[in-house]
Amino acid sequence: MAPFLAYEDKGADTPPALPLVLVHGHPFDRTMWAPQTEAFSATRRVIAPDLRGYGGSPVVPGVTPLSRFAGDIAALLDELGVEHFVLAGLSMGGQIAMELCRQSPGRVRGLVLADTFAAPETPGGRLARNETADRLLAEGMRGYADEVLEKMVAPYADPAVKAHVHRMMTSAPPEGAAAALRGRAERPDYRPLLTRVTVPALVVVGEDDEYTPVEDARAMHAALPHGELRVIEGAAHLPNLERPDDFNKALAEFLTRTDT
């Protein structure tokens, strides 16, 4: 059966190096992980899907909860014959990664949470996400993308990085992005889950991230029994694109722990 999700699958299985699964955030696609896919596929298998509603994957209007995103990824990995893996997610992708850990804790051998947070949605946040979903359906993505670009990446980010991020946002199908926002509005509390994560974990955050400040990263790090924290200087919400060398160095050092 053909996989539901579009995806990139680069590199080869080279034990003891575990496959690395990369989960993008909103409203992006798998090209968000281009620097990591290129760097790490030289030494291990790297799998980067487009979440449902984004990139080349099918658009499903309505409400897409985090549990559905996580189930999609688990099903893709089943199709690809991947049982155990290191899982990395950024922003919404980090919340999907936590949900996948909840659903399939025995499959995840290492967890990377980048520029994300574990707390449940607040009443105000729920209202704001649903209002933004309504706006995207009514207006499309461009106005939203113009407004949030310099929060997604720092104002001082490289122009080429800004152009890539803006292009991903304006290319996202409004129906898929709105469905994800409505799903995130019902997000559960993942903080208790973090205390039960027994595998190595890495928390990464851009020093100038406004969406998920360093304080949120410190709180997650404190909850993880086997976690470490890396703060990436000179970056906002997408340090993997803004400072790929620094991000990749932190990830490479972490992967040496999961491969032993």
Side-chain angles (χ1 to χ4, degrees):
M1 184 173 67
F4 177 78
L5 301 179
Y7 64 94
E8 189 163 7
D9 184 358
K10 292 190 67 175
D13 287 315
T14 53
L18 290 161
L20 174 63
V21 179
L22 302 169
V23 187
H24 69 77
H26 161 89
F28 306 125
D29 56 50
R30 68 181 187 265
T31 67
M32 188 199 87
W33 293 110
Q36 289 70 49
T37 302
E38 183 65 26
F40 291 99
S41 61
T43 55
R44 70 183 65 235
R45 189 178 185 184
V46 180
I47 300 164
D50 282 333
L51 297 171
R52 70 164 62 205
Y54 296 94
S57 290
V59 177
V60 183
V63 180
T64 306
L66 297 174
S67 58
R68 180 63 58 82
F69 284 127
D72 287 345
I73 293 170
L76 172 64
L77 296 175
D78 289 343
E79 290 282 342
L80 297 178
V82 176
E83 178 62 24
H84 301 115
F85 48 89
V86 176
L87 181 62
L90 187 147
S91 192
M92 180 178 76
Q95 293 166 344
I96 294 167
M98 288 184 269
E99 175 62 27
L100 186 50
C101 279
R102 187 192 69 78
Q103 293 182 9
S104 304
R107 299 182 71 175
V108 179
R109 296 297 176 85
L111 177 64
V112 181
L113 300 174
D115 298 81
T116 190
F117 60 98
E121 191 59 273
T122 64
R126 187 175 298 115
L127 177 64
R129 289 194 192 279
N130 281 296
E131 288 179 343
T132 301
D134 291 340
R135 176 190 175 187
L136 297 184
L137 292 174
E139 302 177 6
M141 299 298 296
R142 180 164 294 276
Y144 170 80
D146 291 345
E147 288 178 15
V148 304
L149 177 60
E150 290 194 348
K151 288 182 69 177
M152 293 294 187
V153 296
Y156 51 77
D158 185 282
V161 171
K162 286 186 178 182
H164 178 197
V165 172
H166 192 265
R167 184 168 57 252
M168 286 191 291
M169 290 194 288
T170 54
S171 298
E175 296 86 355
L181 284 168
R182 297 195 198 283
R184 288 181 80 193
E186 306 304 321
R187 183 180 69 252
D189 188 351
Y190 291 113
R191 291 174 295 186
L193 171 76
L194 294 184
T195 67
R196 303 192 299 271
V197 173
T198 58
V199 298
L202 172 65
V203 179
V204 186
V205 65
E207 182 181 41
D208 295 329
D209 191 342
E210 294 183 38
Y211 285 120
T212 55
V214 174
E215 290 76 11
D216 290 346
R218 294 192 190 282
M220 290 192 301
H221 172 242
L224 288 159
H226 305 289
E228 60 181 288
L229 173 66
R230 293 292 185 93
V231 179
I232 306 297
E233 297 180 357
H237 194 54
L238 297 173
N240 70 301
L241 286 173
E242 297 172 83
R243 292 289 182 269
D245 291 345
D246 293 339
F247 187 96
N248 288 356
K249 182 175 185 292
L251 181 53
E253 292 172 356
F254 173 72
L255 290 171
T256 62
R257 293 173 56 195
T258 67
D259 291 341
T260 56

